[in-house]
Amino acid sequence: MAAIILCAVTRFLPALALAALVLAPGPAAAAPAAPALRVPLLTGGEPFDSRSLIGKKVLVLRFQASWCKTCAAQAAGIQRLYERYKERGVELLAIQVDDPEREARAFLQAHHAGYPAALDPGLRVANRFGFKRAPYTVIISKRGEIVARLDATADEKSLAVAIDTALKPPARRRAPAKAS
């Protein structure tokens, strides 16, 4: 009888080991890759290309609109964040959603926006980043991964925390322990 049990366990053990390997939790999943973004800036010059920032800077995409009251209320805080982080490896780009150029320019000027801005009249860019309503902010790490999505309720402090988190180097993975 012991021989029969030993034989059954011997056949079952490799299958159990394989199942444990397949079902074991792996390393944490990576953040989703951000879509590449290339847009002409309202100020002219070279188009903004997000791919040029990979490995160099954190990108903060701010989707806002001239007709958005919350955007107007948060505009001074966005400018403060831009000034606070621009020398720390962070690029901020405003995407004026569903705005005619004249209204977008008037909004940026009225709020003394010093950061670069682009237009997205048909929401083609915004929709690629999961846009639902303005304002909407997406933080992209230096690795080109979306690390935060903040909706209209996110205040200046919440945005600063998300940017600070994105600026931290990624946690190093520990090598697996050697079996003896």
Side-chain angles (χ1 to χ4, degrees):
M1 179 73 167
I4 293 173
I5 293 174
L6 182 59
C7 183
V9 168
T10 305
R11 288 185 181 167
F12 181 67
L13 196 54
L16 184 61
L18 180 61
L21 283 173
V22 170
L23 298 176
L37 169 67
R38 184 175 167 87
V39 292
L41 296 174
L42 283 171
T43 55
E46 289 293 314
F48 179 89
D49 190 343
S50 64
R51 294 170 293 197
S52 69
L53 301 179
I54 294 176
K56 299 174 189 168
K57 291 186 175 190
V58 167
L59 174 59
V60 177
L61 290 178
R62 175 65 173 193
F63 295 93
Q64 59 189 22
S66 63
W67 44 263
C68 169
K69 290 181 177 150
T70 305
C71 299
Q74 294 177 351
I78 297 302
Q79 180 61 32
R80 283 191 296 272
L81 288 170
Y82 170 69
E83 291 169 5
R84 176 177 169 186
Y85 289 100
K86 69 181 177 182
E87 300 299 325
R88 294 182 52 201
V90 175
E91 184 71 47
L92 189 144
L93 175 67
I95 305 288
Q96 296 295 129
V97 294
D98 217 11
D99 256 347
E101 184 175 343
R102 191 176 70 188
E103 281 83 2
R105 285 183 185 278
F107 175 87
L108 294 165
Q109 185 176 17
H111 296 290
H112 310 288
Y115 45 82
L119 295 175
D120 188 16
L123 302 176
R124 288 189 321 235
V125 174
N127 287 335
R128 292 175 57 212
F129 287 91
F131 176 82
K132 300 285 187 250
R133 64 185 173 129
Y136 178 64
T137 307
V138 176
I139 313 257
I140 301 169
S141 72
K142 290 180 183 179
R143 295 178 308 283
E145 299 168 335
I146 296 175
V147 294
R149 297 173 196 256
L150 299 117
D151 65 11
T153 61
D155 60 4
E156 184 177 349
K157 184 177 178 182
S158 300
L159 291 168
V161 168
I163 294 168
D164 287 335
T165 301
L167 283 169
K168 291 179 185 173
R172 294 184 179 239
R173 292 185 182 166
R174 300 174 104 200
K178 292 183 179 180
S180 37

